[in-house]
Amino acid sequence: MPEICCPPPGEVRPHRNLRSLYLTYLLIIIWAGILPWLIPLTFFTPPDLILIITLPLLGVVIFLIWWTGAYYHTIIYRFSDAAISWERGVWWRQTGIVPYNRITTVDIIQGPLSRLFGISMLKVHVAGNEAGTESEAELKINGLTGAGTLKEYIIDQMRPCTEGK
């Protein structure tokens, strides 16, 4: 029985909840890493020093909030008949191509916060051979709501299509 080859999904961008997940990580870092030492510091140091410390911290937090949105908007995954191509990056653009015939496994990863936001990550393992040694690379497709469907598409593309033969 011949396999049915489905058309590629084209361009895939992460769900907007990925940005919310990144901002939640930032909030956790602020609550767990900054506030425990900043709040007691306010009781034992002069107000001028507190202002000198908190204004740069506030600037860094505002920058990270902006950067999170800018980074989110640069993430693009493109699926063709032969490969997955990706690009991302605010200042330094990163691009890559993963041919389907080099993919070894595809995993769906979903942590507790990702589950709360209804998104997951597809981890695509790619076999490589550099300088005679076997190495393992991976492509992480983050912020997916339909990771199972995309995983099945990639697995179908890993097998040779026998339609029409």
Side-chain angles (χ1 to χ4, degrees):
M1 179 179 212
E3 257 182 72
I4 298 173
C5 294
C6 55
E11 190 173 281
V12 174
R13 292 182 175 262
H15 192 270
R16 67 179 175 268
N17 284 352
L18 180 63
R19 182 172 185 231
S20 301
L21 177 67
Y22 288 160
L23 292 175
T24 302
Y25 289 151
L26 178 61
L27 188 62
I28 290 170
I29 290 169
I30 292 169
W31 278 345
I34 296 174
L35 291 182
W37 61 266
L38 185 62
I39 291 174
L41 192 67
T42 60
F43 293 113
F44 302 110
T45 56
D48 301 2
L49 186 59
I50 295 300
L51 196 59
I52 291 172
I53 293 170
T54 56
L55 283 180
L57 280 175
L58 182 63
V60 168
V61 168
I62 290 171
F63 170 77
L64 288 174
I65 290 170
W66 169 83
W67 184 85
T68 300
Y71 179 74
Y72 163 78
H73 288 295
T74 65
I75 303 171
I76 302 170
Y77 302 97
R78 291 184 183 91
F79 294 83
S80 69
D81 292 332
I84 304 169
S85 62
W86 55 272
E87 61 183 65
R88 62 177 164 247
V90 178
W91 290 299
W92 290 277
R93 300 292 290 169
Q94 298 176 354
T95 62
I97 297 174
V98 177
Y100 294 118
N101 62 359
R102 304 284 294 195
I103 296 173
T104 56
T105 59
V106 182
D107 301 321
I108 297 175
I109 310 289
Q110 189 179 45
L113 285 177
S114 297
R115 192 174 307 122
L116 180 70
F117 285 106
I119 58 175
S120 56
M121 175 178 57
L122 204 61
K123 190 184 285 189
V124 179
H125 297 271
V126 181
N129 192 1
E130 295 179 11
T133 61
E134 200 62 32
S135 67
E136 184 79 19
E138 60 185 36
L139 167 65
K140 296 177 182 175
I141 304 174
N142 214 341
L144 297 172
T145 54
T149 306
L150 192 54
K151 177 183 177 179
E152 290 303 316
Y153 169 78
I154 293 171
I155 290 172
D156 286 345
Q157 293 304 112
M158 290 167 56
R159 297 183 215 120
C161 182
T162 57
E163 183 179 358
K165 291 185 181 179

